Amino acid sequence: MMNVILDYLLSLPSDIIFADISFTIMLIATVYFLTKYAKWKWLWSWITSTDHKKIGIMYLFVSFLFFIRAGIEALLIRMQLAFPNNEFWVFQGERFNQLTSTHGTVMIFLVATPLLIGLMNVIVPLQIGARDVAFPFMNSLSLWLFISGGILINASFVAGGSPNAGWTTYAPLASKEFTPGPGNSYYPIGLQVAGLGTIMGGINFIVTIIKMRAPGMRFMRMPLSTWSMFITSILIVYAFSALAVALLLLTFERLFGTVILSASEGNPLIWQHLFWIFGHPEVYIIALPAFGIFSDVISVFSKRKLFGYPSMVFAIILIGFLGFMVWVHHMFTVGLNTNITIFFALTTMLIAVPTGIKIFNWLFTMRGGRIRFDTPMLYALGFIFTFVIGGVTGVMLGTVPADYQYHDSYFVVAHLHYVIIGATIFGVFSGVYYWWPKMFGKKLNETLGKWNFWTFGIGFHITFFPMHVMGLMGMPRRVFTYPEGDGLGFLNFISTCGAFMMGIGVLFFMINIYITTRYTKKRVLNDPWFSRGRTLEWTIPSPPPAYNFARLPEVKSREPLWDAYERGNKNINFIGEYEDIHLPNSTSLPFFMGIGFLIASFGFVFEIWPVALSGMLIVFLMMSIRSFQQKNGIHLPKEKVRVQDMRGED
Amino acid sequence: MTFRYALFVIVIISASGCSNIAVLNPKGSEAQSELNLLYLSLALMSIVLLVVFTLFTRFLMKYRELPGQENDFPTQVNGNKKLEITWVVIPIAILTILAVPTFATTYQLDNKTEIVREPLEINVTAQQYKWKFHYPEHDITLENEVKLPVDRPVVFTLHSKDVIHSFWLPQLGGKKDVLPNQVNKLTLTPLETGVYDGKCAELCGANHALMTFDTTVIEQEAFNQWTRVADIQED
Amino acid sequence: METMSTQMHLNHKQAQMNILAFWFLIGAEVVVFGCLFGIYLAVKSLTGQGPTPNELFKLNEIMLSTVVLLTSSFTCAIAVYFLNLSKKLLTLLFFLITILLGLAFIGLEIREFTLYVEEGAKISTSAFLGAFYLLLGTHGFHVLFGVIWISLLLVQLWLKGINQETAPKLFIASLYWHFIDVIWVIIFTIVYLIGKV
C-alpha cells in the first residue's frame, strides 16, 4: 500500500510535488502553532463570528493569501518569459497556460473583488453609523462561500490540473472536446460558488445602506467610500447574475454535453457576450470602491473638503451605468457588424468623461490644502499618477482600428494591469493603511509603509510600462515564449526585474504587519490621523466595540467630525440615549454550508454524483436548521453599554 | 518624483530600439491608417497627461504641509461650477476630435472587402497550431507561410477547423479573429517587399505561442512567376 | 405580541429589510432569466439533427401545466389574504394547495421531458434543445425550490402560528411564487407559442 502511494507521488511533476510539500509544511505549522498557543477556541470564535468587522478582516486575510499565491504565479510567468526561447522549470505550453489562467482568475475573482468586499464589510457600517449589517448571518455565509470557491480553484493545481483556457475561458477551447481534464470544470463550478456568495454580499450591502443609516445621514451626506460601495453592490447583483448564467452554461457544456457553445452545432460567441456583459461591469466593481477610498483619503490628508461632491457622486453613478454598455469593446476583432462596433466605441469613449471629472476633482481637492504624505496618501497619489496612464491607454484602446493592433497583445496586458493594480490594489493598500488603526487599534509602521509603497510602486511601473512597447512590437498575450530575433528579450528582462521588485514591496508589507502586531504597544485614539478625520468611523474607539456605536450619532452635515473640529470640539455630540443593544449570535452553519458546497463541487468537477449529492444534502440540511432556528441573539443591557462607553472615553 | 524618473529612463531605453516596433513600422496601407489613429490618439492623450501631471506636481509642491501648519484650518470649498463644467466640456471636445476619424476609418477598414478591385483571394484555414493558405485562383496551398504580391489588395477569408484563433500580421494590419462557426474576411494591402511575422493572437491551446507564419511580400512580376511555377509543380 | 396584526409584523424593520433584499434578489433573477432567454433566442434556429420547436411541442399538455401553475398563483394570493387576516388554518390550507399544484406542475414537466427524450430529443442533440432544457430546467428547479421552501415554512407556521418571524417569511415566499409564475408566462409565450407559429 505504502509503495503504491509512494510510486504515485514520485510520478508527479516536480512543481506539483513542490506545491504538495509546501502545503503540507504550512498545514503542519499552522496546526502546531494553534495547538501550542491553545488558539483553537479563538480560531473557532472567528470562524463562527457574525461581527461585520471580523468578517471583513477574514475577507482581507484570506484574499491576501490568494494574492500571495497568484503573485507567486506571476513571478513564475515572468521567470519563464525573462529570456527568449527560455525553458524555466516545467512552465511551457500547457503548464504555462495553467499559470496564466489561474493567475488571472484568482487575481480578479479571489483577490481584487473580495479584498474590496472585506474593506466594505469593515467600513460601511461604521461610516453610516450602523451597529451591524442588515443580514449578519448572510454576511458570514458570503464569506464561507467565497472561501469554499477559492479553495476549489486553488486546489485544482494539485488535484487534476488547473483551468488552462485563460481567465476568460473562451469556448470552444474550454469545452471538453479540446480540454478534457477536470481543469476547466473547476473554473465554472468554483466561481459559481464564490459568485453566489458575492451576490449575497451585494444584496446585503444595498439593504444595509438603504435601511440602516444613522439619523440624519441622508444619501447626499454619505461619505464617498460608502457611495461607491453602494453603487458597486448594485453592479455586483446584476453583473454576477449574468456571470452565473455563463458559468451554468459552461458547466452544462462540460458535464451534461449540451452543444450551445460548440463550434459545429452552436455558437461559441454566446460565451464571449455573456462573459463580458459580466466582465466589464466587474472592472468597475473593483474600481469604484477604490475611487471611493481615494476620495476619502485625499480629502483627509489634504485637510480639505472633497471638491465637487455632487459631481463625484454623479460620476460614480454614470460610470456604473455606462459600465453595462461597453462590453463589446472586448470583442472588436470577432467580426461583428460595424454599426455595433461603432456604438460600443462611442460608449467606451464616453466613460472617459466621468472618469476625467473624478481625476480633476481629486486634484482640486488637494489645491489649497495642507497635504501630508503618509502611506495611505502616497498610495492615493500613486493611484492618480498610474490610473491616468491606464485611463488614456483605455481611450486609445477604444479607437477601433488601432484596437485591431492592440487587441490581445501585451499592450492590453499593460493597460489592464495599470487600471486594476493602479486602482484596486493601490486602493486596497491605501485603505488598509488608512483603516488599520480602526481595525486593530495600532498604526502600521510609517517607515516600512514608505518602503512598501516605493518598491511596489516603482516595481510596478518597471514591470508594466515596457509591456506597452512589447505589445506594439507584436508580442501576443498568453505566449509562453518568443523567438530570439524579435528583439523582445531586453524589455521582457526589465519587466521580470520589476516583478521581483513588486514582490519585495509585498514582503515589506508583510514585515510591517508582523512588526506592528508584535512590537507596537501604543494604542491609537479615535482619530489617529492627526485630528484630520471627517467621517463617522473616526468618532468611535479604535478598535470599535462589537456594537460600534454605544449611542447613535445624529448627522447634520457631510463631514460631522470635521465640523466638530472646526467648532473646537474633540468629537461629535452623540444625542441618542443609551439603549439595550441586540447583537447577532455567532453561528457555525455558514462554515458547514461552505464545507457542503466544497464537497459538492468536488463531486461535480469529477462527476462523482453521490459525492455531489451528499454535499448538496449538507447544504440543504444546514439551510433547514437555519430556517427553524430561534434567532434570539445576544442582548446587551444599556447599563453595561454605558459603563463601557464611559471607560472608553478616558 | 523618482517615479517619473524611472519612467523616463524606460521610455528612453525602449525608444532606442524603435525600428523593432512592428506596429510603428507599417508596411501596408491598413497598418498605416491604424498607425495614424494611434498617433492622433497618443497626441490628444498626451495633452491630457500633460495637464494632469502639471496640476498634480504643482499642487503637491505648493500645498504640502509645512512645519508649523499642523493646527491650520484651511478654508473649505464645496466646488466650483465653472471649473467643473470646463472639465466636462474639454474632454468631450477632445473625444469628438478623436471619434470622427476613428469611426470613418472603422467603416473604411471593415468595408474594404467589398470595395477593393481585383483583390488576390486567399483562403486561410487555422487549426491547432498551424496555418494553411490556399490560393483558389492558382490552386496552390502553403503551410505556415504565405507569399503576397506588393501593392495589390489581398482578401483573406478566415476560417478555423477547431477553436478560436486570431490572424495577426502586425506590420501589414490589425487582427481579425478566426472563428470555427463563422467566416471572417480581412483585407490587407502590402506596400513594401520584405518578410514579415504573422502570428496567432488568441489563446488556442498548449502551443499557441508557436503558431506563427512567415509572410513574404514580393514584386508583382516575381509573384506571377512563382504562381506559374508552383501551379505546375502541384500538378 | 399576540394582538399584533400581520400588517404590523410586515412593517417591522427587519421584515422591511428582508422584503427589500428580496426585491433585489428578484432583480438578480430577472437578469438570470433574461440571459437564459437571450441564449434560447440566439440558438433557437440551430436545431441540427434534432426536431424543430414546431415538431417537438405539444401545446395541449403545456396548456395544462400553465393552468396548474396559474391556479397555484391564485391560491397563493388567497393564502396571503388569509395571512393578512391572521387566520392560521386557512393560510395553511391554501399554501398547501399551492405547493400541491406546484408538485403537479413539476410532475407534468418531468413527464414532458421524458416524452421528448424518448422521441430522441436529448439535451445534447442540438443547441436549441440544450438551451430549451437549460431554460426550462432552471425554471423547474426554481419551482421545486419554492415547493420545498414553502413546505418548511408551513411546518413553522403549524408549530409557531402567525408571528413576527413567520409572517414576513410567508409573505416573501408568496412573492417568489408569483415571480416564478410570471417567468412561466414568458416561457409559455416565447418558447411554446412562438415556437408553434
Side-chain angles (χ1 to χ4, degrees):
Chain A
M1 186 62 195
M2 281 306 281
N3 278 340
V4 178
I5 295 173
L6 201 67
D7 282 349
Y8 169 73
L9 284 178
L10 288 177
S11 73
L12 291 171
S14 57
D15 57 327
I16 291 187
I17 295 179
F18 184 79
D20 279 337
I21 292 173
S22 47
F23 177 73
T24 316
I25 292 174
M26 280 189 286
L27 195 69
I28 292 171
T30 314
V31 171
Y32 172 76
F33 282 112
L34 282 173
T35 314
K36 186 178 168 197
Y37 296 106
K39 288 283 188 187
W40 285 102
K41 260 212 168 119
W42 168 84
L43 181 69
W44 186 246
S45 78
W46 275 80
I47 287 175
T48 57
S49 174
T50 46
D51 180 345
H52 70 93
K53 298 176 286 297
K54 285 190 171 177
I55 290 178
I57 290 166
M58 281 190 280
Y59 257 115
L60 290 170
F61 176 72
V62 177
S63 355
F64 187 73
L65 291 184
F66 292 152
F67 177 66
I68 301 288
R69 179 227 150 100
I72 291 171
E73 276 173 339
L75 292 182
L76 293 174
I77 292 171
R78 287 312 323 164
M79 297 274 270
Q80 164 62 23
L81 289 174
F83 307 103
N85 297 323
N86 195 15
E87 297 226 343
F88 169 70
W89 205 352
V90 292
F91 298 111
Q92 293 83 40
E94 190 59 35
R95 274 292 195 207
F96 185 84
N97 290 350
Q98 294 190 10
L99 271 189
T100 49
S101 304
T102 36
H103 167 74
T105 310
V106 171
M107 281 295 193
I108 296 282
F109 293 100
L110 306 175
V111 176
T113 318
L115 275 176
L116 288 167
I117 292 180
L119 281 177
M120 263 159 96
N121 259 299
V122 175
I123 286 321
V124 166
L126 302 185
Q127 280 201 334
I128 61 173
R131 293 205 169 113
D132 207 330
V133 293
F135 308 106
F137 178 86
M138 197 159 88
N139 204 13
S140 167
L141 184 56
S142 296
L143 170 74
W144 287 104
L145 291 188
F146 149 63
I147 294 179
S148 173
I151 288 176
L152 200 73
I153 287 180
N154 277 280
S156 63
F157 184 66
V158 289
S162 297
N164 59 5
W167 81 274
T168 52
T169 310
Y170 276 9
L173 181 61
S175 69
K176 246 192 174 148
E177 192 185 344
F178 298 104
T179 43
N184 284 327
S185 299
Y186 275 110
Y187 178 92
I189 293 165
L191 290 187
Q192 190 74 274
V193 175
L196 204 62
T198 314
I199 293 179
M200 287 182 194
I203 292 179
N204 202 344
F205 281 97
I206 293 174
V207 177
T208 305
I209 292 172
I210 293 180
K211 289 279 185 189
M212 298 185 67
R213 280 165 291 133
M217 172 74 80
R218 298 186 199 140
F219 269 105
M220 288 310 272
R221 284 180 184 167
M222 292 196 312
L224 249 283
S225 292
T226 300
W227 251 115
S228 61
M229 288 162 182
F230 179 55
I231 301 298
T232 287
S233 303
I234 296 175
L235 295 188
I236 282 178
V237 171
Y238 296 103
F240 271 80
S241 351
L243 177 72
V245 176
L247 297 174
L248 185 71
L249 189 56
L250 189 59
T251 312
F252 265 64
E253 207 72 6
R254 293 187 61 90
L255 264 51
F256 308 117
T258 56
V259 290
I260 302 166
L261 298 177
S262 97
S264 47
E265 293 171 82
N267 183 355
L269 290 185
I270 289 175
W271 168 265
Q272 293 189 24
H273 281 291
L274 278 178
F275 185 83
W276 289 116
I277 286 174
F278 150 76
H280 206 85
E282 165 71 6
V283 175
Y284 294 106
I285 287 171
I286 58 181
L288 289 183
F291 290 175
I293 294 168
F294 293 129
S295 303
D296 283 6
V297 167
I298 289 175
S299 159
V300 164
F301 287 88
S302 307
K303 250 189 184 174
R304 286 273 284 184
K305 196 173 255 184
L306 188 70
F307 195 87
Y309 176 95
S311 65
M312 286 301 247
V313 172
F314 174 71
I316 293 177
I317 296 173
L318 196 61
I319 291 174
F321 179 70
L322 283 175
F324 277 101
M325 306 208 297
V326 297
W327 82 86
V328 167
H329 71 212
H330 299 269
M331 300 169 65
F332 280 158
T333 62
V334 297
L336 294 168
N337 180 300
T338 313
N339 292 325
I340 296 177
T341 310
I342 292 293
F343 171 79
F344 283 94
L346 191 67
T347 50
T348 304
M349 287 184 181
L350 270 183
I351 229 167
V353 177
T355 317
I357 295 177
K358 298 194 78 73
I359 298 275
F360 283 105
N361 278 338
W362 284 319
L363 288 176
F364 277 77
T365 302
M366 297 193 290
R367 180 168 167 240
R370 301 282 182 275
I371 303 171
R372 277 191 66 106
F373 295 90
D374 299 284
T375 314
M377 186 60 170
L378 282 180
Y379 269 109
L381 297 173
F383 152 76
I384 292 183
F385 181 84
T386 312
F387 192 77
V388 169
I389 299 177
V392 300
T393 53
V395 174
M396 290 171 75
L397 280 158
T399 52
V400 186
D403 179 73
Y404 293 159
Q405 289 283 21
Y406 310 135
H407 180 83
D408 264 348
S409 76
Y410 258 74
F411 192 87
V412 174
V413 178
H415 163 74
L416 79 92
H417 285 93
Y418 261 78
V419 281
I420 293 180
I421 297 184
T424 310
I425 301 300
F426 280 27
V428 170
F429 272 125
S430 178
V432 166
Y433 275 97
Y434 182 50
W435 284 306
W436 190 273
K438 192 48 67 184
M439 288 189 272
F440 299 103
K442 291 173 179 178
K443 219 170 177 176
L444 282 171
N445 184 303
E446 263 303 310
T447 316
L448 282 167
K450 292 204 163 83
W451 275 96
N452 165 220
F453 169 74
W454 288 109
T455 44
F456 189 78
I458 295 174
F460 166 79
H461 283 275
I462 295 178
T463 314
F464 294 103
F465 193 83
M467 286 188 186
H468 292 109
V469 185
M470 277 140 66
L472 297 180
M473 290 171 88
M475 183 166 169
R477 273 174 99 159
R478 296 161 173 168
V479 290
F480 69 86
T481 190
Y482 49 91
E484 182 112 43
D486 285 8
L488 286 163
F490 182 61
L491 291 178
N492 268 297
F493 181 73
I494 290 185
S495 181
T496 303
C497 296
F500 277 90
M501 195 162 161
M502 287 173 84
I504 294 170
V506 177
L507 273 182
F508 274 121
F509 179 66
M510 288 156 75
I511 295 169
N512 198 347
I513 290 178
Y514 178 75
I515 289 189
T516 305
T517 315
R518 188 79 198 272
Y519 299 106
T520 305
K521 290 281 179 289
K522 196 173 160 235
R523 294 266 151 188
V524 295
L525 304 169
N526 288 7
D527 176 6
W529 296 111
F530 322 103
S531 295
R532 286 168 169 247
R534 290 169 168 265
T535 41
L536 286 183
E537 74 267 34
W538 306 114
T539 65
I540 50 174
S542 319
Y547 44 81
N548 302 342
F549 293 87
R551 288 181 296 170
L552 287 182
E554 197 195 23
V555 183
K556 291 193 179 132
S557 66
R558 251 169 229 160
E559 297 168 326
L561 183 58
W562 178 256
D563 293 345
Y565 287 152
E566 275 196 328
R567 282 195 301 271
N569 297 336
K570 273 183 147 177
N571 202 342
I572 60 166
N573 291 324
F574 290 94
I575 50 100
E577 294 290 317
Y578 287 107
E579 53 192 352
D580 291 351
I581 293 177
H582 172 258
L583 288 171
N585 289 62
S586 6
T587 167
S588 58
L589 293 178
F591 174 69
F592 289 114
M593 277 169 89
I595 290 182
F597 269 110
L598 192 62
I599 295 171
S601 305
F602 271 112
F604 279 116
V605 168
F606 290 98
E607 297 170 44
I608 310 168
W609 307 118
V611 176
L613 200 67
S614 56
M616 292 318 291
L617 271 178
I618 296 177
V619 174
F620 176 72
L621 192 70
M622 296 300 149
M623 274 162 72
S624 315
I625 295 177
R626 166 69 185 166
S627 183
F628 282 93
Q629 238 172 13
Q630 288 283 339
K631 288 151 212 129
N632 288 333
I634 305 158
H635 272 276
L636 271 177
K638 60 181 168 192
E639 259 317 297
K640 206 171 163 192
V641 175
R642 203 176 65 82
V643 171
Q644 277 184 2
D645 194 36
M646 292 302 160
R647 209 183 302 140
E649 267 173 26
D650 295 336
Chain B
M1 294 315 94
T2 322
F3 245 67
R4 227 167 303 167
Y5 179 66
L7 202 65
F8 181 65
V9 173
I10 294 166
V11 173
I12 295 294
I13 292 167
S14 44
S16 63
C18 204
S19 60
N20 267 331
I21 303 177
V23 173
L24 305 185
N25 249 331
K27 305 288 183 196
S29 71
E30 288 74 16
Q32 183 62 55
S33 52
E34 284 156 359
L35 179 63
N36 293 342
L37 269 177
L38 186 153
Y39 282 139
L40 175 66
S41 57
L42 191 62
L44 290 171
M45 291 301 117
S46 302
I47 300 174
V48 177
L49 286 180
L50 196 71
V51 172
V52 172
F53 290 155
T54 312
L55 291 176
F56 184 72
T57 322
R58 192 181 146 72
F59 291 168
L60 285 189
M61 310 261 264
K62 195 165 170 198
Y63 300 109
R64 64 184 195 280
E65 187 179 78
L66 303 171
Q69 290 183 334
E70 287 84 359
N71 297 319
D72 279 12
F73 280 87
T75 48
Q76 304 286 312
V77 291
N78 281 319
N80 182 326
K81 282 271 143 38
K82 274 184 198 159
L83 279 174
E84 287 174 56
I85 291 171
T86 314
W87 57 65
V88 172
V89 172
I90 292 180
I92 290 181
I94 292 180
L95 289 174
T96 315
I97 298 174
L98 182 60
V100 174
T102 298
F103 297 166
T105 318
T106 312
Y107 274 108
Q108 195 204 341
L109 289 183
D110 279 13
N111 299 324
K112 224 167 189 175
T113 319
E114 283 107 67
I115 301 163
V116 288
R117 269 195 241 148
E118 292 176 33
L120 172 68
E121 301 265 355
I122 298 179
N123 296 330
V124 183
T125 311
Q127 82 187 82
Q128 271 173 334
Y129 326 124
K130 62 185 171 214
W131 298 93
K132 271 196 187 138
F133 298 89
H134 179 239
Y135 298 68
E137 229 176 287
H138 316 286
D139 199 23
I140 304 169
T141 306
L142 295 177
E143 197 173 293
N144 291 338
E145 60 163 331
V146 59
K147 272 197 188 1
L148 307 174
V150 74
D151 290 331
R152 182 178 171 193
V154 187
V155 174
F156 293 96
T157 306
L158 309 165
H159 186 72
S160 165
K161 272 193 169 171
D162 38 45
V163 300
I164 298 174
H165 304 270
S166 190
F167 180 87
W168 190 23
L169 263 167
Q171 287 192 284
L172 298 188
K175 0 184 142 47
K176 193 67 118 179
D177 287 359
V178 187
L179 304 173
N181 63 320
Q182 173 185 326
V183 170
N184 277 340
K185 291 194 182 226
L186 175 69
T187 313
L188 297 175
T189 319
L191 298 175
E192 269 182 53
T193 56
V195 180
Y196 310 117
D197 292 336
K199 34 202 116 194
C200 174
E202 179 69 61
L203 178 65
C204 58
N207 286 335
H208 161 59
L210 309 179
M211 190 170 160
T212 55
F213 58 93
D214 286 330
T215 312
T216 320
V217 178
I218 49 179
E219 295 293 343
Q220 299 256 8
E221 279 304 302
F223 181 77
N224 292 338
Q225 179 82 31
W226 171 74
T227 50
R228 247 174 278 136
V229 175
D231 210 5
I232 294 163
Q233 278 177 348
E234 288 231 336
D235 295 336
Chain C
M1 288 292 273
E2 270 71 43
T3 53
M4 274 173 81
S5 74
T6 308
Q7 209 49 51
M8 284 165 79
H9 293 318
L10 294 180
N11 285 337
H12 187 260
K13 191 173 181 193
Q14 190 64 44
Q16 284 291 306
M17 292 200 292
N18 291 354
I19 293 168
L20 185 66
F22 183 75
W23 279 112
F24 278 98
L25 184 70
I26 291 282
E29 292 276 22
V30 167
V31 176
V32 167
F33 281 103
C35 291
L36 287 171
F37 279 119
I39 295 170
Y40 176 79
L41 291 175
V43 300
K44 199 177 82 170
S45 54
L46 300 175
T47 48
Q49 307 291 318
T52 63
N54 197 9
E55 291 162 7
L56 190 67
F57 302 145
K58 293 160 189 68
L59 263 193
N60 293 342
E61 294 174 22
I62 291 137
M63 278 307 284
L64 182 63
S65 324
T66 309
V67 170
V68 167
L69 203 61
L70 287 185
T71 315
S72 79
S73 215
F74 182 61
T75 56
C76 182
I78 297 176
V80 172
Y81 171 77
F82 285 121
L83 179 70
N84 274 319
L85 295 178
S86 300
K87 301 241 192 283
K88 178 178 158 183
L89 284 180
L90 282 168
T91 311
L92 203 67
L93 176 70
F94 276 94
F95 268 122
L96 207 62
I97 299 174
T98 307
I99 57 174
L100 286 177
L101 288 169
L103 279 174
F105 173 84
I106 294 168
L108 285 170
E109 188 156 68
I110 291 173
R111 203 179 77 100
E112 184 196 348
F113 284 3
T114 27
L115 223 66
Y116 292 165
V117 172
E118 275 166 16
E119 286 173 24
K122 283 188 286 218
I123 194 165
S124 54
T125 309
S126 68
F128 150 67
L129 283 167
F132 170 79
Y133 284 117
L134 193 60
L135 173 60
L136 275 276
T138 309
H139 176 264
F141 185 79
H142 276 77
V143 178
L144 181 66
F145 180 80
V147 167
I148 296 172
W149 182 22
I150 295 178
S151 319
L152 285 175
L153 293 186
L154 288 188
V155 178
Q156 289 184 45
L157 179 65
W158 177 254
L159 295 174
K160 299 176 190 166
I162 296 171
N163 61 20
Q164 201 172 306
E165 209 183 307
T166 52
K169 282 183 180 176
L170 283 167
F171 179 71
I172 289 173
S174 79
L175 288 180
Y176 175 84
W177 196 261
H178 292 312
F179 169 73
I180 50 181
D181 223 33
V182 170
I183 294 293
W184 178 257
V185 172
I186 302 173
I187 290 180
F188 183 71
T189 318
I190 291 186
V191 177
Y192 290 108
L193 284 184
I194 295 180
K196 263 310 193 191
V197 173

